[in-house]
Amino acid sequence: MTPLAAAANENLAQISNYLIYSSMAVYTLAFFAHIAEWTFGSRSKVARTAAALTGADGAQDAPAVQVRGKGGGTAVLDQPKVVTRSAAGTRDVPDGPGAGGGTVQGDLYGRIAISLTALAFLIEAGGVLARAMSVQRAPWGNMYEFSITFSTVAVGTYLALLALKKNVRWLGLILVTSVLLDLGIAVKILYTDSDQLVPALHSYWLWIHVSTAIFCGAVFYIGAAGAVLYLFRDAYEGRLANGRTAGKFYASVMERLPSAASLDKFSYRINAAVFPLWTFTIIAGAIWAGDAWGRYWNWDPKEVWSFVTWVAYAAYLHARATAGWKGRKAAYLALFAFACWIWNYYGVNMFLNGLHSYSGV
């Protein structure tokens, strides 16, 4: 490499670092905007009136609906209900109005938060691209590059779901908080100077295997966030069903989330959708191992824990498809599976030695 090219690559690496730090600053602004959305958003009079009319807020004296027939008589209909889950033995509870609570002020802060999140995503994506240009390869050759790409994909997936009109804005605060934590760890602990890869990693399988692993991890994270919120919301609904009350702040947050049924379904669908791709990731890694080391499976710690993660998610999906393993049990299993993925990324890379150790941090 000529001195001029080396200087250009060094400049690109510095630009990448600047963009990553800039994205963190914008994510911080988005974090405060999400806080404002939850703080100032509350159920408006219109939302409360609609809940009372439908009995959605648990009111037992909601007014009946009268209709006038063709002959001049009237008929009284039962109060309508908004049903989100109809499985036997479950609660029929409507989704909450969202983090903004159905208010103009809350919605305004929410829109600002989403706009800032989208801006931070574009800046961070630019940082990842600059890093790739500085090393002239795929930007995931070490844990630092993996981390900044992981958070970029996670936010991109969230924004894509919003663009598809999915009800996921409630996830914004948790996502932005996690992204700031991920980037903080990346720049302070995991940072590695731009460098070329060892010969074993010079393969087109780097683009295929590692990119799918990053995407799967980002989507698994969103599914895990849904499972955590499901546990809180389900406990809240159970508390109300048993005639107990909750604190004003706790109730305000829980009432604005989707119902436990919706969160449970959301987590399941997210994990089920990405599981085949995780299967492909393991297969692609085995093929790459065969090309690089002459064996498809070496019982390397990374390989073992990737398989353990696959088994955990397979058990979760199988449990969801059988009677008695829905709801909280399935959520705990989903979180255990994601914990396996997290350990496979952080724990195995930092504390265990194996064939993947040369990628460093």
Side-chain angles (χ1 to χ4, degrees):
M1 181 181 297
T2 64
L4 183 61
N9 291 342
E10 180 63 26
N11 290 334
L12 285 171
Q14 293 178 358
I15 291 174
S16 173
N17 296 340
Y18 173 78
L19 290 174
I20 294 300
Y21 277 102
S22 298
S23 71
M24 293 177 66
V26 181
Y27 277 129
T28 301
L29 296 177
F31 169 80
F32 286 115
H34 280 295
I35 289 290
E37 179 186 19
W38 280 97
T39 301
F40 296 104
S42 62
R43 299 187 67 175
S44 65
K45 293 182 179 179
V46 174
R48 288 196 296 270
T49 301
L53 287 172
T54 61
D57 59 354
Q60 300 300 320
D61 56 349
V65 179
Q66 293 186 355
V67 296
R68 185 178 298 277
K70 292 182 178 180
T74 60
V76 178
L77 303 180
D78 293 333
Q79 64 183 32
K81 294 182 179 180
V82 181
V83 177
T84 59
R85 177 168 57 183
S86 58
T90 58
R91 295 181 295 270
D92 295 331
V93 181
D95 290 340
T103 64
V104 174
Q105 187 179 26
D107 183 68
L108 174 62
Y109 282 114
R111 291 179 182 275
I112 293 174
I114 295 301
S115 299
L116 289 171
T117 302
L119 176 60
F121 163 76
L122 293 176
I123 296 174
E124 185 182 10
V128 174
L129 179 60
R131 177 78 176 197
M133 294 173 63
S134 71
V135 293
Q136 299 180 0
R137 56 168 171 79
W140 40 74
N142 50 61
M143 288 185 67
Y144 168 75
E145 295 173 355
F146 192 104
S147 294
I148 61 175
T149 307
F150 170 83
S151 56
T152 303
V153 174
V155 176
T157 303
Y158 169 69
L159 295 175
L161 290 173
L162 286 175
L164 294 173
K165 307 299 182 182
K166 302 299 181 181
N167 178 25
V168 295
R169 208 165 91 175
W170 45 268
L171 186 60
L173 178 58
I174 296 177
L175 176 67
V176 170
T177 304
S178 301
V179 167
L180 283 172
L181 179 62
D182 174 75
L183 291 178
I185 294 174
V187 300
K188 293 299 182 182
I189 300 177
L190 304 178
Y191 182 78
T192 304
D193 290 331
S194 300
D195 199 0
Q196 295 302 311
L197 300 175
V198 296
L201 293 181
H202 284 286
S203 171
Y204 60 87
W205 284 107
L206 175 67
W207 292 90
I208 300 173
H209 171 64
V210 183
S211 64
T212 54
I214 293 173
F215 179 78
C216 288
V219 178
F220 280 148
Y221 161 76
I222 292 177
V228 170
L229 291 178
Y230 159 78
L231 292 173
F232 282 103
R233 173 74 188 203
D234 185 65
Y236 173 74
E237 292 179 10
R239 188 184 187 91
L240 296 184
N242 292 330
R244 293 181 293 169
T245 60
K248 184 177 181 180
F249 174 78
Y250 179 65
S252 174
V253 173
M254 290 296 107
E255 286 179 1
R256 283 182 273 168
L257 290 174
S259 68
S262 295
L263 289 169
D264 183 44
K265 185 184 299 183
F266 170 80
S267 180
Y268 170 66
R269 288 180 173 178
I270 287 290
N271 289 323
V274 78
F275 178 74
L277 188 60
W278 182 248
T279 304
F280 169 78
T281 301
I282 296 177
I283 294 174
I287 296 174
W288 188 10
D291 291 343
W293 302 315
R295 293 179 59 185
Y296 293 106
W297 193 263
N298 298 279
W299 295 104
D300 178 72
K302 180 71 71 174
E303 296 173 347
V304 171
W305 278 99
S306 295
F307 180 68
V308 170
T309 303
W310 184 91
V311 171
Y313 275 108
Y316 162 74
L317 296 176
H318 176 73
R320 278 292 312 234
T322 60
W325 272 94
K326 294 182 180 180
R328 299 186 72 84
K329 290 182 179 179
Y332 288 134
L333 189 52
L335 292 176
F336 171 76
F338 183 67
C340 290
W341 190 92
I342 288 293
W343 168 255
N344 187 36
Y345 173 51
Y346 284 106
V348 171
N349 283 12
M350 291 182 173
F351 304 115
L352 301 178
N353 293 321
L355 293 172
H356 290 77
S357 298
Y358 53 68
S359 61
V361 297

mmCIF file of all heavy atoms in Angstrom, residues 284-327:
data_model
loop_
_atom_site.group_PDB
_atom_site.id
_atom_site.type_symbol
_atom_site.label_atom_id
_atom_site.label_comp_id
_atom_site.label_asym_id
_atom_site.label_seq_id
_atom_site.Cartn_x
_atom_site.Cartn_y
_atom_site.Cartn_z
ATOM 1 N N ALA A 284 -23.663 -21.975 7.205
ATOM 2 C CA ALA A 284 -22.661 -21.208 6.456
ATOM 3 C C ALA A 284 -21.330 -21.189 7.201
ATOM 4 O O ALA A 284 -20.258 -21.284 6.581
ATOM 5 C CB ALA A 284 -23.163 -19.780 6.232
ATOM 6 N N GLY A 285 -21.392 -21.068 8.534
ATOM 7 C CA GLY A 285 -20.157 -21.100 9.322
ATOM 8 C C GLY A 285 -19.447 -22.436 9.208
ATOM 9 O O GLY A 285 -18.206 -22.487 9.146
ATOM 10 N N ALA A 286 -20.215 -23.517 9.165
ATOM 11 C CA ALA A 286 -19.608 -24.845 9.029
ATOM 12 C C ALA A 286 -18.923 -24.994 7.669
ATOM 13 O O ALA A 286 -17.822 -25.553 7.566
ATOM 14 C CB ALA A 286 -20.673 -25.919 9.212
ATOM 15 N N ILE A 287 -19.572 -24.478 6.634
ATOM 16 C CA ILE A 287 -18.967 -24.562 5.296
ATOM 17 C C ILE A 287 -17.681 -23.742 5.248
ATOM 18 O O ILE A 287 -16.656 -24.170 4.695
ATOM 19 C CB ILE A 287 -19.972 -24.073 4.238
ATOM 20 C CG1 ILE A 287 -21.190 -25.008 4.200
ATOM 21 C CG2 ILE A 287 -19.314 -23.998 2.867
ATOM 22 C CD1 ILE A 287 -22.295 -24.515 3.276
ATOM 23 N N TRP A 288 -17.716 -22.553 5.846
ATOM 24 C CA TRP A 288 -16.523 -21.704 5.884
ATOM 25 C C TRP A 288 -15.414 -22.381 6.685
ATOM 26 O O TRP A 288 -14.235 -22.336 6.295
ATOM 27 C CB TRP A 288 -16.889 -20.362 6.499
ATOM 28 C CG TRP A 288 -15.810 -19.327 6.425
ATOM 29 C CD1 TRP A 288 -14.645 -19.393 5.714
ATOM 30 C CD2 TRP A 288 -15.809 -18.060 7.079
ATOM 31 N NE1 TRP A 288 -13.907 -18.250 5.891
ATOM 32 C CE2 TRP A 288 -14.591 -17.407 6.727
ATOM 33 C CE3 TRP A 288 -16.696 -17.407 7.926
ATOM 34 C CZ2 TRP A 288 -14.270 -16.146 7.196
ATOM 35 C CZ3 TRP A 288 -16.376 -16.143 8.386
ATOM 36 C CH2 TRP A 288 -15.178 -15.524 8.031
ATOM 37 N N ALA A 289 -15.767 -23.028 7.787
ATOM 38 C CA ALA A 289 -14.758 -23.742 8.580
ATOM 39 C C ALA A 289 -14.116 -24.856 7.771
ATOM 40 O O ALA A 289 -12.904 -25.100 7.873
ATOM 41 C CB ALA A 289 -15.407 -24.315 9.836
ATOM 42 N N GLY A 290 -14.935 -25.530 6.967
ATOM 43 C CA GLY A 290 -14.378 -26.577 6.118
ATOM 44 C C GLY A 290 -13.370 -26.032 5.125
ATOM 45 O O GLY A 290 -12.333 -26.659 4.864
ATOM 46 N N ASP A 291 -13.663 -24.845 4.571
ATOM 47 C CA ASP A 291 -12.727 -24.232 3.621
ATOM 48 C C ASP A 291 -11.470 -23.725 4.314
ATOM 49 O O ASP A 291 -10.359 -23.829 3.767
ATOM 50 C CB ASP A 291 -13.418 -23.062 2.900
ATOM 51 C CG ASP A 291 -14.511 -23.531 1.954
ATOM 52 O OD1 ASP A 291 -14.518 -24.737 1.616
ATOM 53 O OD2 ASP A 291 -15.360 -22.703 1.568
ATOM 54 N N ALA A 292 -11.617 -23.160 5.518
ATOM 55 C CA ALA A 292 -10.488 -22.517 6.189
ATOM 56 C C ALA A 292 -9.629 -23.497 6.958
ATOM 57 O O ALA A 292 -8.395 -23.367 6.985
ATOM 58 C CB ALA A 292 -11.008 -21.424 7.140
ATOM 59 N N TRP A 293 -10.252 -24.471 7.631
ATOM 60 C CA TRP A 293 -9.507 -25.349 8.541
ATOM 61 C C TRP A 293 -9.553 -26.821 8.136
ATOM 62 O O TRP A 293 -8.945 -27.657 8.791
ATOM 63 C CB TRP A 293 -10.063 -25.207 9.966
ATOM 64 C CG TRP A 293 -9.988 -23.798 10.470
ATOM 65 C CD1 TRP A 293 -8.936 -22.943 10.362
ATOM 66 C CD2 TRP A 293 -11.024 -23.077 11.151
ATOM 67 N NE1 TRP A 293 -9.239 -21.735 10.940
ATOM 68 C CE2 TRP A 293 -10.516 -21.791 11.441
ATOM 69 C CE3 TRP A 293 -12.322 -23.397 11.567
ATOM 70 C CZ2 TRP A 293 -11.263 -20.825 12.099
ATOM 71 C CZ3 TRP A 293 -13.062 -22.432 12.231
ATOM 72 C CH2 TRP A 293 -12.534 -21.160 12.489
ATOM 73 N N GLY A 294 -10.297 -27.136 7.082
ATOM 74 C CA GLY A 294 -10.352 -28.520 6.609
ATOM 75 C C GLY A 294 -11.346 -29.398 7.349
ATOM 76 O O GLY A 294 -11.466 -30.582 7.041
ATOM 77 N N ARG A 295 -12.072 -28.837 8.313
ATOM 78 C CA ARG A 295 -13.094 -29.591 9.047
ATOM 79 C C ARG A 295 -14.323 -28.714 9.193
ATOM 80 O O ARG A 295 -14.234 -27.524 9.491
ATOM 81 C CB ARG A 295 -12.588 -29.998 10.445
ATOM 82 C CG ARG A 295 -11.458 -31.013 10.425
ATOM 83 C CD ARG A 295 -11.014 -31.339 11.842
ATOM 84 N NE ARG A 295 -12.108 -31.880 12.642
ATOM 85 C CZ ARG A 295 -12.023 -32.159 13.947
ATOM 86 N NH1 ARG A 295 -10.888 -31.895 14.590
ATOM 87 N NH2 ARG A 295 -13.044 -32.674 14.588
ATOM 88 N N TYR A 296 -15.500 -29.325 9.006
ATOM 89 C CA TYR A 296 -16.744 -28.563 9.098
ATOM 90 C C TYR A 296 -17.122 -28.241 10.541
ATOM 91 O O TYR A 296 -17.823 -27.266 10.799
ATOM 92 C CB TYR A 296 -17.885 -29.326 8.424
ATOM 93 C CG TYR A 296 -17.718 -29.445 6.926
ATOM 94 C CD1 TYR A 296 -17.340 -30.652 6.336
ATOM 95 C CD2 TYR A 296 -17.904 -28.339 6.106
ATOM 96 C CE1 TYR A 296 -17.183 -30.762 4.962
ATOM 97 C CE2 TYR A 296 -17.746 -28.434 4.732
ATOM 98 C CZ TYR A 296 -17.384 -29.650 4.168
ATOM 99 O OH TYR A 296 -17.218 -29.737 2.811
ATOM 100 N N TRP A 297 -16.670 -29.070 11.465
ATOM 101 C CA TRP A 297 -17.036 -28.862 12.870
ATOM 102 C C TRP A 297 -15.834 -29.219 13.733
ATOM 103 O O TRP A 297 -15.308 -30.326 13.652
ATOM 104 C CB TRP A 297 -18.238 -29.718 13.240
ATOM 105 C CG TRP A 297 -18.860 -29.318 14.556
ATOM 106 C CD1 TRP A 297 -18.647 -29.870 15.781
ATOM 107 C CD2 TRP A 297 -19.802 -28.267 14.776
ATOM 108 N NE1 TRP A 297 -19.381 -29.244 16.748
ATOM 109 C CE2 TRP A 297 -20.114 -28.235 16.163
ATOM 110 C CE3 TRP A 297 -20.409 -27.325 13.949
ATOM 111 C CZ2 TRP A 297 -21.011 -27.323 16.724
ATOM 112 C CZ3 TRP A 297 -21.304 -26.420 14.502
ATOM 113 C CH2 TRP A 297 -21.593 -26.429 15.867
ATOM 114 N N ASN A 298 -15.411 -28.263 14.582
ATOM 115 C CA ASN A 298 -14.214 -28.465 15.393
ATOM 116 C C ASN A 298 -14.488 -28.399 16.898
ATOM 117 O O ASN A 298 -13.556 -28.389 17.689
ATOM 118 C CB ASN A 298 -13.176 -27.397 15.037
ATOM 119 C CG ASN A 298 -12.726 -27.476 13.602
ATOM 120 O OD1 ASN A 298 -11.870 -28.295 13.260
ATOM 121 N ND2 ASN A 298 -13.300 -26.647 12.739
ATOM 122 N N TRP A 299 -15.756 -28.303 17.287
ATOM 123 C CA TRP A 299 -16.124 -28.163 18.693
ATOM 124 C C TRP A 299 -15.435 -26.969 19.335
ATOM 125 O O TRP A 299 -15.064 -26.992 20.503
ATOM 126 C CB TRP A 299 -15.849 -29.451 19.486
ATOM 127 C CG TRP A 299 -16.702 -30.589 19.037
ATOM 128 C CD1 TRP A 299 -16.313 -31.642 18.268
ATOM 129 C CD2 TRP A 299 -18.099 -30.758 19.281
ATOM 130 N NE1 TRP A 299 -17.373 -32.477 18.008
ATOM 131 C CE2 TRP A 299 -18.497 -31.963 18.635
ATOM 132 C CE3 TRP A 299 -19.070 -30.034 19.977
ATOM 133 C CZ2 TRP A 299 -19.809 -32.443 18.672
ATOM 134 C CZ3 TRP A 299 -20.371 -30.508 20.013
ATOM 135 C CH2 TRP A 299 -20.721 -31.703 19.377
ATOM 136 N N ASP A 300 -15.242 -25.944 18.516
ATOM 137 C CA ASP A 300 -14.744 -24.675 19.011
ATOM 138 C C ASP A 300 -15.808 -24.041 19.909
ATOM 139 O O ASP A 300 -17.013 -24.236 19.677
ATOM 140 C CB ASP A 300 -14.452 -23.769 17.809
ATOM 141 C CG ASP A 300 -13.973 -22.397 18.210
ATOM 142 O OD1 ASP A 300 -12.825 -22.300 18.669
ATOM 143 O OD2 ASP A 300 -14.759 -21.435 18.075
ATOM 144 N N PRO A 301 -15.421 -23.293 20.975
ATOM 145 C CA PRO A 301 -16.431 -22.690 21.855
ATOM 146 C C PRO A 301 -17.480 -21.869 21.113
ATOM 147 O O PRO A 301 -18.660 -21.910 21.448
ATOM 148 C CB PRO A 301 -15.594 -21.814 22.801
ATOM 149 C CG PRO A 301 -14.271 -22.513 22.862
ATOM 150 C CD PRO A 301 -14.052 -23.067 21.502
ATOM 151 N N LYS A 302 -17.064 -21.125 20.099
ATOM 152 C CA LYS A 302 -18.020 -20.329 19.324
ATOM 153 C C LYS A 302 -19.011 -21.227 18.603
ATOM 154 O O LYS A 302 -20.224 -20.939 18.554
ATOM 155 C CB LYS A 302 -17.270 -19.444 18.334
ATOM 156 C CG LYS A 302 -18.159 -18.568 17.468
ATOM 157 C CD LYS A 302 -18.805 -17.449 18.252
ATOM 158 C CE LYS A 302 -17.798 -16.399 18.646
ATOM 159 N NZ LYS A 302 -18.435 -15.218 19.282
ATOM 160 N N GLU A 303 -18.521 -22.311 18.034
ATOM 161 C CA GLU A 303 -19.408 -23.248 17.348
ATOM 162 C C GLU A 303 -20.367 -23.912 18.325
ATOM 163 O O GLU A 303 -21.565 -24.049 18.047
ATOM 164 C CB GLU A 303 -18.564 -24.309 16.627
ATOM 165 C CG GLU A 303 -17.691 -23.751 15.515
ATOM 166 C CD GLU A 303 -16.745 -24.786 14.951
ATOM 167 O OE1 GLU A 303 -16.581 -25.860 15.581
ATOM 168 O OE2 GLU A 303 -16.170 -24.547 13.892
ATOM 169 N N VAL A 304 -19.834 -24.318 19.470
ATOM 170 C CA VAL A 304 -20.664 -25.007 20.459
ATOM 171 C C VAL A 304 -21.794 -24.101 20.946
ATOM 172 O O VAL A 304 -22.969 -24.496 20.996
ATOM 173 C CB VAL A 304 -19.806 -25.494 21.644
ATOM 174 C CG1 VAL A 304 -20.693 -26.002 22.771
ATOM 175 C CG2 VAL A 304 -18.852 -26.593 21.186
ATOM 176 N N TRP A 305 -21.467 -22.854 21.287
ATOM 177 C CA TRP A 305 -22.490 -21.956 21.826
ATOM 178 C C TRP A 305 -23.438 -21.465 20.747
ATOM 179 O O TRP A 305 -24.595 -21.124 21.045
ATOM 180 C CB TRP A 305 -21.832 -20.806 22.570
ATOM 181 C CG TRP A 305 -21.467 -21.214 23.956
ATOM 182 C CD1 TRP A 305 -20.243 -21.612 24.406
ATOM 183 C CD2 TRP A 305 -22.360 -21.314 25.066
ATOM 184 N NE1 TRP A 305 -20.311 -21.949 25.732
ATOM 185 C CE2 TRP A 305 -21.600 -21.767 26.174
ATOM 186 C CE3 TRP A 305 -23.711 -21.057 25.256
ATOM 187 C CZ2 TRP A 305 -22.154 -21.972 27.429
ATOM 188 C CZ3 TRP A 305 -24.280 -21.256 26.502
ATOM 189 C CH2 TRP A 305 -23.517 -21.706 27.565
ATOM 190 N N SER A 306 -22.996 -21.422 19.514
ATOM 191 C CA SER A 306 -23.932 -21.131 18.424
ATOM 192 C C SER A 306 -24.971 -22.245 18.317
ATOM 193 O O SER A 306 -26.169 -21.988 18.118
ATOM 194 C CB SER A 306 -23.179 -20.989 17.097
ATOM 195 O OG SER A 306 -22.320 -19.871 17.117
ATOM 196 N N PHE A 307 -24.511 -23.464 18.476
ATOM 197 C CA PHE A 307 -25.434 -24.605 18.422
ATOM 198 C C PHE A 307 -26.347 -24.624 19.647
ATOM 199 O O PHE A 307 -27.542 -24.927 19.541
ATOM 200 C CB PHE A 307 -24.652 -25.913 18.322
ATOM 201 C CG PHE A 307 -25.531 -27.132 18.265
ATOM 202 C CD1 PHE A 307 -26.322 -27.379 17.157
ATOM 203 C CD2 PHE A 307 -25.561 -28.027 19.322
ATOM 204 C CE1 PHE A 307 -27.140 -28.500 17.103
ATOM 205 C CE2 PHE A 307 -26.378 -29.143 19.280
ATOM 206 C CZ PHE A 307 -27.168 -29.378 18.166
ATOM 207 N N VAL A 308 -25.786 -24.300 20.826
ATOM 208 C CA VAL A 308 -26.612 -24.229 22.035
ATOM 209 C C VAL A 308 -27.709 -23.175 21.859
ATOM 210 O O VAL A 308 -28.870 -23.396 22.240
ATOM 211 C CB VAL A 308 -25.746 -23.906 23.269
ATOM 212 C CG1 VAL A 308 -26.622 -23.577 24.474
ATOM 213 C CG2 VAL A 308 -24.826 -25.083 23.594
ATOM 214 N N THR A 309 -27.359 -22.029 21.280
ATOM 215 C CA THR A 309 -28.352 -20.988 21.012
ATOM 216 C C THR A 309 -29.416 -21.498 20.067
ATOM 217 O O THR A 309 -30.623 -21.246 20.254
ATOM 218 C CB THR A 309 -27.674 -19.745 20.419
ATOM 219 O OG1 THR A 309 -26.663 -19.281 21.318
ATOM 220 C CG2 THR A 309 -28.676 -18.648 20.166
ATOM 221 N N TRP A 310 -28.997 -22.229 19.038
ATOM 222 C CA TRP A 310 -29.960 -22.800 18.087
ATOM 223 C C TRP A 310 -30.905 -23.766 18.797
ATOM 224 O O TRP A 310 -32.124 -23.727 18.569
ATOM 225 C CB TRP A 310 -29.205 -23.527 16.976
ATOM 226 C CG TRP A 310 -30.114 -24.073 15.905
ATOM 227 C CD1 TRP A 310 -30.510 -23.442 14.765
ATOM 228 C CD2 TRP A 310 -30.743 -25.364 15.882
ATOM 229 N NE1 TRP A 310 -31.351 -24.245 14.025
ATOM 230 C CE2 TRP A 310 -31.505 -25.439 14.695
ATOM 231 C CE3 TRP A 310 -30.739 -26.454 16.741
ATOM 232 C CZ2 TRP A 310 -32.261 -26.557 14.348
ATOM 233 C CZ3 TRP A 310 -31.489 -27.576 16.411
ATOM 234 C CH2 TRP A 310 -32.233 -27.627 15.226
ATOM 235 N N VAL A 311 -30.375 -24.612 19.652
ATOM 236 C CA VAL A 311 -31.210 -25.572 20.387
ATOM 237 C C VAL A 311 -32.196 -24.832 21.288
ATOM 238 O O VAL A 311 -33.374 -25.203 21.388
ATOM 239 C CB VAL A 311 -30.337 -26.539 21.215
ATOM 240 C CG1 VAL A 311 -31.194 -27.382 22.151
ATOM 241 C CG2 VAL A 311 -29.523 -27.442 20.291
ATOM 242 N N ALA A 312 -31.726 -23.775 21.949
ATOM 243 C CA ALA A 312 -32.595 -23.025 22.857
ATOM 244 C C ALA A 312 -33.759 -22.391 22.099
ATOM 245 O O ALA A 312 -34.917 -22.458 22.541
ATOM 246 C CB ALA A 312 -31.793 -21.964 23.589
ATOM 247 N N TYR A 313 -33.481 -21.771 20.959
ATOM 248 C CA TYR A 313 -34.562 -21.172 20.172
ATOM 249 C C TYR A 313 -35.464 -22.241 19.555
ATOM 250 O O TYR A 313 -36.683 -22.037 19.435
ATOM 251 C CB TYR A 313 -34.004 -20.255 19.086
ATOM 252 C CG TYR A 313 -33.736 -18.862 19.584
ATOM 253 C CD1 TYR A 313 -32.439 -18.398 19.776
ATOM 254 C CD2 TYR A 313 -34.789 -17.994 19.889
ATOM 255 C CE1 TYR A 313 -32.194 -17.109 20.251
ATOM 256 C CE2 TYR A 313 -34.547 -16.713 20.365
ATOM 257 C CZ TYR A 313 -33.253 -16.283 20.535
ATOM 258 O OH TYR A 313 -33.019 -15.016 21.012
ATOM 259 N N ALA A 314 -34.885 -23.363 19.150
ATOM 260 C CA ALA A 314 -35.700 -24.455 18.626
ATOM 261 C C ALA A 314 -36.643 -24.982 19.710
ATOM 262 O O ALA A 314 -37.821 -25.268 19.450
ATOM 263 C CB ALA A 314 -34.810 -25.575 18.098
ATOM 264 N N ALA A 315 -36.131 -25.097 20.950
ATOM 265 C CA ALA A 315 -36.968 -25.537 22.065
ATOM 266 C C ALA A 315 -38.077 -24.535 22.333
ATOM 267 O O ALA A 315 -39.229 -24.911 22.624
ATOM 268 C CB ALA A 315 -36.109 -25.733 23.318
ATOM 269 N N TYR A 316 -37.743 -23.248 22.234
ATOM 270 C CA TYR A 316 -38.757 -22.203 22.441
ATOM 271 C C TYR A 316 -39.868 -22.312 21.402
ATOM 272 O O TYR A 316 -41.064 -22.272 21.740
ATOM 273 C CB TYR A 316 -38.096 -20.839 22.370
ATOM 274 C CG TYR A 316 -39.042 -19.692 22.145
ATOM 275 C CD1 TYR A 316 -39.880 -19.239 23.165
ATOM 276 C CD2 TYR A 316 -39.105 -19.042 20.909
ATOM 277 C CE1 TYR A 316 -40.750 -18.189 22.952
ATOM 278 C CE2 TYR A 316 -39.966 -17.993 20.694
ATOM 279 C CZ TYR A 316 -40.792 -17.564 21.721
ATOM 280 O OH TYR A 316 -41.653 -16.521 21.501
ATOM 281 N N LEU A 317 -39.493 -22.428 20.131
ATOM 282 C CA LEU A 317 -40.495 -22.500 19.080
ATOM 283 C C LEU A 317 -41.329 -23.774 19.201
ATOM 284 O O LEU A 317 -42.543 -23.766 18.976
ATOM 285 C CB LEU A 317 -39.823 -22.430 17.710
ATOM 286 C CG LEU A 317 -39.105 -21.114 17.407
ATOM 287 C CD1 LEU A 317 -38.391 -21.194 16.069
ATOM 288 C CD2 LEU A 317 -40.086 -19.949 17.415
ATOM 289 N N HIS A 318 -40.681 -24.871 19.567
ATOM 290 C CA HIS A 318 -41.426 -26.128 19.763
ATOM 291 C C HIS A 318 -42.367 -26.007 20.963
ATOM 292 O O HIS A 318 -43.515 -26.458 20.909
ATOM 293 C CB HIS A 318 -40.451 -27.283 19.976
ATOM 294 C CG HIS A 318 -41.138 -28.586 20.276
ATOM 295 N ND1 HIS A 318 -41.821 -29.305 19.316
ATOM 296 C CD2 HIS A 318 -41.248 -29.295 21.444
ATOM 297 C CE1 HIS A 318 -42.320 -30.393 19.864
ATOM 298 N NE2 HIS A 318 -41.987 -30.415 21.150
ATOM 299 N N ALA A 319 -41.884 -25.370 22.024
ATOM 300 C CA ALA A 319 -42.720 -25.207 23.210
ATOM 301 C C ALA A 319 -43.931 -24.334 22.913
ATOM 302 O O ALA A 319 -45.031 -24.577 23.416
ATOM 303 C CB ALA A 319 -41.901 -24.613 24.354
ATOM 304 N N ARG A 320 -43.732 -23.308 22.086
ATOM 305 C CA ARG A 320 -44.849 -22.438 21.728
ATOM 306 C C ARG A 320 -45.925 -23.190 20.951
ATOM 307 O O ARG A 320 -47.103 -22.836 21.009
ATOM 308 C CB ARG A 320 -44.343 -21.271 20.877
ATOM 309 C CG ARG A 320 -43.756 -20.124 21.643
ATOM 310 C CD ARG A 320 -44.794 -19.392 22.450
ATOM 311 N NE ARG A 320 -45.978 -19.070 21.701
ATOM 312 C CZ ARG A 320 -46.492 -17.860 21.598
ATOM 313 N NH1 ARG A 320 -45.878 -16.848 22.178
ATOM 314 N NH2 ARG A 320 -47.597 -17.638 20.923
ATOM 315 N N ALA A 321 -45.480 -24.205 20.208
ATOM 316 C CA ALA A 321 -46.430 -24.948 19.374
ATOM 317 C C ALA A 321 -47.144 -26.051 20.137
ATOM 318 O O ALA A 321 -47.997 -26.735 19.572
ATOM 319 C CB ALA A 321 -45.705 -25.538 18.167
ATOM 320 N N THR A 322 -46.829 -26.257 21.399
ATOM 321 C CA THR A 322 -47.458 -27.307 22.188
ATOM 322 C C THR A 322 -48.265 -26.691 23.317
ATOM 323 O O THR A 322 -47.985 -25.598 23.786
ATOM 324 C CB THR A 322 -46.398 -28.251 22.788
ATOM 325 O OG1 THR A 322 -45.518 -27.495 23.631
ATOM 326 C CG2 THR A 322 -45.586 -28.918 21.682
ATOM 327 N N ALA A 323 -49.292 -27.382 23.763
ATOM 328 C CA ALA A 323 -50.173 -26.888 24.825
ATOM 329 C C ALA A 323 -49.400 -26.747 26.128
ATOM 330 O O ALA A 323 -48.581 -27.588 26.484
ATOM 331 C CB ALA A 323 -51.346 -27.837 25.014
ATOM 332 N N GLY A 324 -49.685 -25.670 26.843
ATOM 333 C CA GLY A 324 -49.089 -25.464 28.153
ATOM 334 C C GLY A 324 -47.769 -24.737 28.146
ATOM 335 O O GLY A 324 -47.224 -24.450 29.212
ATOM 336 N N TRP A 325 -47.244 -24.390 26.969
ATOM 337 C CA TRP A 325 -45.953 -23.694 26.917
ATOM 338 C C TRP A 325 -46.074 -22.349 26.213
ATOM 339 O O TRP A 325 -45.178 -21.947 25.486
ATOM 340 C CB TRP A 325 -44.919 -24.557 26.215
ATOM 341 C CG TRP A 325 -44.234 -25.470 27.177
ATOM 342 C CD1 TRP A 325 -44.563 -26.756 27.465
ATOM 343 C CD2 TRP A 325 -43.109 -25.153 28.000
ATOM 344 N NE1 TRP A 325 -43.726 -27.261 28.397
ATOM 345 C CE2 TRP A 325 -42.810 -26.306 28.752
ATOM 346 C CE3 TRP A 325 -42.322 -24.017 28.181
ATOM 347 C CZ2 TRP A 325 -41.770 -26.356 29.653
ATOM 348 C CZ3 TRP A 325 -41.287 -24.052 29.078
ATOM 349 C CH2 TRP A 325 -41.012 -25.216 29.804
ATOM 350 N N LYS A 326 -47.194 -21.684 26.449
ATOM 351 C CA LYS A 326 -47.347 -20.322 25.957
ATOM 352 C C LYS A 326 -47.277 -19.364 27.133
ATOM 353 O O LYS A 326 -47.298 -19.764 28.281
ATOM 354 C CB LYS A 326 -48.671 -20.177 25.211
ATOM 355 C CG LYS A 326 -48.736 -21.004 23.935
ATOM 356 C CD LYS A 326 -50.043 -20.807 23.203
ATOM 357 C CE LYS A 326 -50.072 -21.644 21.927
ATOM 358 N NZ LYS A 326 -51.341 -21.487 21.181
ATOM 359 N N GLY A 327 -47.202 -18.094 26.828
ATOM 360 C CA GLY A 327 -47.205 -17.113 27.906
ATOM 361 C C GLY A 327 -45.869 -17.012 28.605
ATOM 362 O O GLY A 327 -44.805 -16.964 27.986
#
